[in-house]
Amino acid sequence: MKTLASIGLMLLTVTMSAQRVGLVLSGGGAKGSAHIGVIKALEENEIPIDYIVGTSMGAVVGALYAAGFSPEEMEAIVRSPEFQHWMNGTSTEKYQYNYTKAEDNASWLSLDLIIDEKSRASFNTPLANDLIINFVLNEYLTQAAQQAKFDFDSLFIPFKSVTADVFTQKAVALDSGSLMQAVRASMAVPFFYRPIKYNNQYLFDGGIYNNFPVDIMLDEYKPDMIIGSNVATKKDKSYPYDTDEEVINNALLFMFLDRSDPEELRDQDVYIEPNVESYTALDFDKAGTLVDIGYEATQNKIAQLKQKVSRVMSKSTVNSRRKALKQSFLPMEFGALELHGFDNEQKKFVRRLINFEEGKKDLAYVRKSYFQLVSEPYFKNVYPSFSFDKVAGHFVFGLYLKPTAKNALTLDFGGNIATRQVSVLQLGAKLNSFKRKLNTYKLRLSTGRFYEAVNFGTRFNMNPKNRLFLEPSFTFNHWDYFNTGDVLDKDVEPIVVNRIDRSIGSTLGIGTGSRSVITLNTRFIRNTDEYGNTNVVSSNDVLDKLDLTSFVTEVAYERNSLNKKQFPSSGTRFYASAKYFNGSLNYSPGTTSIIFNPNAPTELSRNANWLALDVGFDEYFEVSKTYTFGWMFNAQYSTFDRLYNYRGSQMYLPVFEPLFDSKTYFLENYRAPGFLGAGIRQIWRPKRSLEMRLELYAYSPFEQILEGPNQEALVKTGFDSISFLGMAALVYNTLPGPISLRLNYIEQNNVPFGLMLSFGYLIFERKSH
């Protein structure tokens, strides 16, 4: 027994005297991905890591490693296509519910205001959406935190997350509680991500006061030596005159990286500074390359490290410990829901969607329920947190809502500025209000020489679990195709067509799956079309006038995972609709009509009943990181009967409009009762935000209406020869919207080629037909 005691005492003495190594990881946004390469190289070279302290992205990487993720697993995460979406807050198919998605509009910027019950308004517009990353961090970190009894010093590697308390202006090192909340608080760059409360205290990105927390490592863990990985050192001691244009986009982040200098490291410590000068804090799409840079920088320091670190830790030993840790994790089964900051009515709404009355639920159920909830814009101020009930033996799904009040107002500004006279200014407002039920009220105004519109609507969420909603709306559209002059091409002859489109009705919809919506729409429409029967009309001419009064019933299905509302480059969209019109038409010929009689004004009336079918498909394939191939198909058919003349007969025919600005042309040669259209789209991305697009479309009608010698409408059946449309474009994607220079080709237009430069979106309100 004395011998065993002596051996134990010797082992304890050796352990206590063994060299302890601390790893400090700085903040730096996307550049922090380089820390993964640093850890990868340290493990491969058997350099031990006994403690980790991290700030911002350094806290994310450090927490993942402390939770048992290997460098290879972390590298796979940041190299995945989903990683960029998580960090930037852009939705992917896995995390979006289309039944709550508003129809696309031309908005550039949105300003969110939260209005409390005392009528005070506060801004709520971070640059990045954090709904996805908040949930993902819970997925990745909670099991390890639970196994460690939520004590960060009991994780696979003892760990501290550095945050900032802006009220006391101090750095705060977090070492217990929710690991997700500790990490998420550390990466809350002001104005970029929303702050979250940790132990009832708002905390921000630790880089505000301590972006390279060597002092915290020394004070808290007192290691024998420190390895410091810094990706955010400030290089500019004075104003960067030669590079200010390049770095100005990162100025916001620079404001909050206060201390990133390695001066606190000692002689026995090792400093690693990956060469990330040519990268920005927002380059999450280059995370894989940054991992390689961190790995190379560390390999260059291995000789120095091995001189200073006498102790070794084999990779096989680390992997064995990691495997044993993960085998001890409890399965992620949830048995309770906790709601914080919700009032009673809000709680009822959420519990109709998420409940555990029928027993424990798995992570997939919780994920689906969470993203269904936050797809409602009203609940975008929710963040999740996983905890553990030791008595019941299950995980608890917690949701925190900013307890401001029941109303959230969003103001939109957008439109399109173009070299053709189709520029449009759009203003919008949307109020999400919770009074017993979740209701949405929206108003959108558009104005320009070519197009103006008013759209007002409300949305009642009747059953959040079954995704059933009712949406009454009123829409007024006005298109003046004569006012579409081209600054770059004076030879273009605009067509004389003036259209007013009015509709009032409601849509009943239900979500099916995450990306699909089935809708039943009924509305009353009253439209007025004025047009000339020739393209040359004098100021003294009276235009033909066509009035349509009708009830419309439409059944539609859409599944949409496209990544952008215009110029998409990934995802798919399938849509199909059937509309039935039941009404009447009144026609008054003008002076350009051959039946015009100034001495005996004529007004003709007839019933207008017809069926319109539409089906289409869009899909994109990423062939490589720089090249994407896409294709589309559209088929339409209508039983609309020809009217009193050719031009009037075209007004309600289906039309093939595949180009970005197709809807700004009255494409009379691409309108037909029935047609097939298809196209291919090729996209090259020489840089992240720059695209070169080449699109080619083919159109062939199988039934069409032609103009006779006396302006009459003649019906021709059977497939006609194929005609083409195309576009070659340079598109630069900015945060507000795309800047595009496009060369259009429309074979059957009066001027086939057209060059157009524009900024923004050409998206109009929904037509009534």
Side-chain angles (χ1 to χ4, degrees):
M1 291 294 292
K2 289 183 179 180
T3 303
L4 290 173
S6 298
I7 292 173
L9 181 60
M10 289 174 61
L11 289 173
L12 179 61
T13 303
V14 170
T15 302
M16 292 178 64
S17 62
Q19 188 181 34
R20 312 300 287 175
V21 179
L23 177 63
V24 175
L25 305 176
S26 77
K31 295 183 289 185
S33 303
H35 296 318
I36 298 172
V38 172
I39 297 174
K40 180 180 179 181
L42 293 176
E43 270 204 6
E44 287 182 2
N45 289 278
E46 302 185 332
I47 306 296
I49 301 173
D50 299 301
Y51 316 106
I52 300 177
V53 176
T55 294
S56 196
M57 192 63 182
V60 176
V61 173
L64 287 170
Y65 189 67
F69 283 81
S70 69
E72 291 75 20
E73 289 171 326
M74 291 190 291
E75 184 176 4
I77 289 171
V78 300
R79 287 186 184 272
S80 68
E82 292 84 4
F83 178 71
Q84 184 180 356
H85 292 293
W86 297 346
M87 301 308 294
N88 291 333
T90 52
S91 294
T92 60
E93 186 162 356
K94 184 178 179 181
Y95 300 111
Q96 183 173 322
Y97 279 78
N98 269 5
Y99 85 102
T100 62
K101 181 177 178 289
E103 287 189 5
D104 288 335
N105 62 77
S107 172
W108 300 338
L109 300 171
S110 293
L111 177 65
D112 290 340
L113 298 173
I114 294 179
I115 306 172
D116 69 14
E117 58 191 11
K118 297 179 181 178
S119 299
R120 292 177 300 180
S122 59
F123 290 104
N124 184 49
T125 310
L127 294 178
N129 182 337
D130 60 357
L131 294 173
I132 299 175
I133 190 63
N134 291 345
F135 193 89
V136 170
L137 287 173
N138 275 296
E139 285 191 56
Y140 285 167
L141 300 176
T142 299
Q143 285 173 297
Q146 185 278 327
Q147 196 275 342
K149 297 180 173 56
F150 299 95
D151 176 4
F152 301 172
D153 283 343
S154 298
L155 293 167
F156 180 66
I157 305 291
F159 166 74
K160 294 188 188 300
S161 176
V162 180
T163 64
D165 177 358
V166 297
F167 296 102
T168 63
Q169 298 186 2
K170 293 180 180 178
V172 179
L174 305 179
D175 57 9
S176 63
S178 168
L179 185 56
M180 171 270 169
Q181 290 183 5
V183 171
R184 175 59 183 76
S186 184
M187 58 183 285
V189 177
F191 309 120
F192 191 78
Y193 285 126
R194 293 175 299 164
I196 67 171
K197 279 192 171 181
Y198 183 90
N199 291 338
N200 206 34
Q201 180 182 15
Y202 276 118
L203 296 173
F204 288 83
D205 191 299
I208 296 175
Y209 301 122
N210 195 341
N211 200 45
F212 191 48
V214 173
D215 56 335
I216 292 177
M217 173 64 77
L218 289 169
D219 293 342
E220 299 289 338
Y221 290 121
K222 299 177 176 57
D224 297 295
M225 69 93 62
I226 293 174
I227 301 170
S229 176
N230 190 0
V231 295
T233 299
K234 289 184 179 179
K235 295 294 185 182
D236 300 311
K237 302 299 183 183
S238 60
Y239 188 88
Y241 289 100
D242 296 332
T243 60
D244 56 356
E245 294 292 343
E246 299 173 19
V247 302
I248 189 63
N249 290 332
N250 297 313
L252 179 64
L253 292 178
F254 289 162
M255 290 170 59
F256 306 111
L257 302 182
D258 182 50
R259 297 178 60 198
S260 300
D261 296 324
E263 296 175 357
E264 294 186 64
L265 291 173
R266 306 158 301 179
D267 291 341
Q268 68 263 39
D269 301 328
V270 175
Y271 179 65
I272 300 172
E273 186 178 324
N275 183 15
V276 294
E277 289 184 19
S278 59
Y279 298 87
T280 76
L282 302 179
D283 281 336
F284 292 107
D285 59 326
K286 299 180 176 65
T289 302
L290 289 161
V291 172
D292 296 337
I293 292 172
Y295 179 84
E296 181 182 357
T298 308
Q299 290 288 16
N300 293 335
K301 294 279 187 173
I302 290 300
Q304 181 183 353
L305 282 164
K306 289 191 172 181
Q307 286 180 351
K308 295 188 175 186
V309 183
S310 57
R311 181 169 141 252
V312 298
M313 178 68 70
S314 70
K315 189 171 178 63
S316 61
T317 300
V318 176
N319 284 335
S320 296
R321 288 184 55 222
R322 189 179 286 124
K323 182 178 179 181
L325 172 71
K326 292 183 177 180
Q327 288 176 342
S328 71
F329 288 169
L330 294 179
M332 223 175 240
E333 294 182 334
F334 295 82
L337 172 68
E338 290 184 353
L339 301 175
H340 306 271
F342 294 76
D343 65 23
N344 290 332
E345 295 298 335
Q346 293 166 340
K347 287 179 180 178
K348 289 178 183 178
F349 182 93
V350 175
R351 292 188 186 281
R352 290 181 68 185
L353 179 63
I354 309 169
N355 68 76
F356 299 93
E357 295 176 358
E358 298 177 359
K360 296 179 181 179
K361 304 291 185 180
D362 60 11
L363 179 64
Y365 170 86
V366 170
R367 181 193 298 116
K368 177 182 177 181
S369 301
Y370 168 75
F371 283 105
Q372 185 174 334
L373 176 68
V374 299
S375 66
E376 294 284 0
Y378 181 84
F379 288 110
K380 62 185 175 184
N381 290 298
V382 166
Y383 73 86
S385 185
F386 299 171
S387 58
F388 189 76
D389 186 330
K390 289 185 283 188
V391 175
H394 58 230
F395 286 92
V396 177
F397 181 37
L399 290 173
Y400 294 77
L401 176 65
K402 191 174 182 178
T404 47
K406 298 175 178 289
N407 300 307
L409 178 66
T410 299
L411 303 177
D412 292 324
F413 175 77
N416 184 269
I417 301 172
T419 53
R420 282 180 64 219
Q421 294 178 7
V422 294
S423 298
V424 178
L425 174 66
Q426 177 185 285
L427 300 172
K430 183 165 61 176
L431 178 66
N432 292 297
S433 179
F434 206 115
K435 294 180 180 178
R436 295 188 178 179
K437 292 183 179 293
L438 176 57
N439 301 325
T440 301
Y441 307 90
K442 63 179 181 178
L443 173 65
R444 199 159 46 239
L445 307 174
S446 301
T447 183
R449 292 189 60 180
F450 162 67
Y451 175 73
E452 54 189 358
V454 176
N455 176 266
F456 174 75
T458 61
R459 180 189 178 103
F460 305 106
N461 292 277
M462 301 169 65
N463 190 323
K465 189 171 184 63
N466 296 328
R467 288 165 274 170
L468 183 68
F469 63 90
L470 179 67
E471 191 168 312
S473 63
F474 166 78
T475 301
F476 169 87
N477 290 309
H478 176 213
W479 290 272
D480 185 352
Y481 289 91
F482 186 73
N483 280 318
T484 57
D486 195 330
V487 174
L488 300 180
D489 189 348
K490 302 296 185 181
D491 295 329
V492 174
E493 296 182 3
I495 195 167
V496 183
V497 174
N498 193 305
R499 311 202 70 183
I500 293 178
D501 176 303
R502 314 172 189 87
S503 67
I504 185 169
S506 62
T507 299
L508 181 67
I510 187 168
T512 58
S514 61
R515 307 307 297 266
S516 306
V517 184
I518 297 174
T519 56
L520 172 64
N521 181 286
T522 58
R523 55 190 182 272
F524 173 76
I525 67 174
R526 185 173 181 182
N527 297 348
T528 300
D529 295 291
E530 296 181 326
Y531 56 89
N533 292 283
T534 65
N535 288 339
V536 180
V537 178
S538 72
S539 59
N540 296 322
D541 281 322
V542 176
L543 300 179
D544 288 25
K545 185 178 180 182
L546 183 66
D547 291 314
L548 170 66
T549 302
S550 178
F551 286 96
V552 185
T553 301
E554 176 187 15
V555 178
Y557 170 84
E558 180 181 27
R559 187 183 190 281
N560 190 346
S561 64
L562 297 180
N563 64 331
K564 299 173 188 173
K565 53 189 175 184
Q566 284 194 319
F567 298 123
S569 56
S570 67
T572 61
R573 177 178 182 247
F574 172 78
Y575 58 96
S577 70
K579 302 177 188 175
Y580 180 70
F581 296 78
N582 181 12
S584 61
L585 282 162
N586 295 314
Y587 169 67
S588 299
T591 54
T592 63
S593 170
I594 62 170
I595 66 172
F596 176 75
N597 185 345
N599 299 317
T602 304
E603 183 169 313
L604 304 174
S605 299
R606 53 169 284 187
N607 291 332
N609 305 317
W610 77 92
L611 177 69
L613 305 175
D614 186 4
V615 61
F617 188 78
D618 296 75
E619 187 170 22
Y620 293 87
F621 303 92
E622 186 178 275
V623 179
S624 69
K625 289 185 177 181
T626 58
Y627 174 69
T628 296
F629 175 81
W631 70 281
M632 65 82 66
F633 169 80
N634 181 217
Q636 296 191 47
Y637 176 72
S638 171
T639 61
F640 182 76
D641 198 5
R642 54 185 168 169
L643 296 179
Y644 310 102
N645 55 26
Y646 165 71
R647 184 60 55 80
S649 298
Q650 289 189 316
M651 293 299 153
Y652 293 97
L653 293 180
V655 57
F656 186 53
E657 299 173 318
L659 301 179
F660 172 81
D661 47 353
S662 290
K663 291 182 173 61
T664 65
Y665 298 93
F666 190 87
L667 297 174
E668 58 182 318
N669 294 311
Y670 295 88
R671 294 173 179 267
F675 67 79
L676 299 178
I680 58 174
R681 297 158 175 159
Q682 299 187 79
I683 306 167
W684 293 269
R685 288 180 298 276
K687 292 187 177 181
R688 180 178 62 182
S689 299
L690 181 65
E691 295 178 352
M692 294 185 293
R693 301 178 71 100
L694 186 63
E695 303 180 1
L696 180 64
Y697 304 95
Y699 162 86
S700 181
F702 54 84
E703 182 177 326
Q704 57 186 314
I705 292 180
L706 304 178
E707 185 172 16
N710 295 311
Q711 299 179 350
E712 70 271 28
L714 305 176
V715 177
K716 179 183 178 182
T717 58
F719 279 100
D720 199 4
S721 59
I722 296 174
S723 58
F724 295 93
L725 306 90
M727 180 186 78
L730 283 175
V731 181
Y732 185 75
N733 293 293
T734 70
L735 185 62
I739 301 171
S740 60
L741 177 64
R742 305 179 307 282
L743 177 65
N744 286 343
Y745 173 70
I746 304 176
E747 182 180 356
Q748 298 296 327
N749 209 20
N750 56 359
V751 177
F753 289 96
L755 185 66
M756 183 173 172
L757 175 67
S758 69
F759 166 70
Y761 301 99
L762 272 173
I763 301 176
F764 306 123
E765 299 295 341
R766 183 178 179 182
K767 291 182 179 180
S768 66
H769 60 278

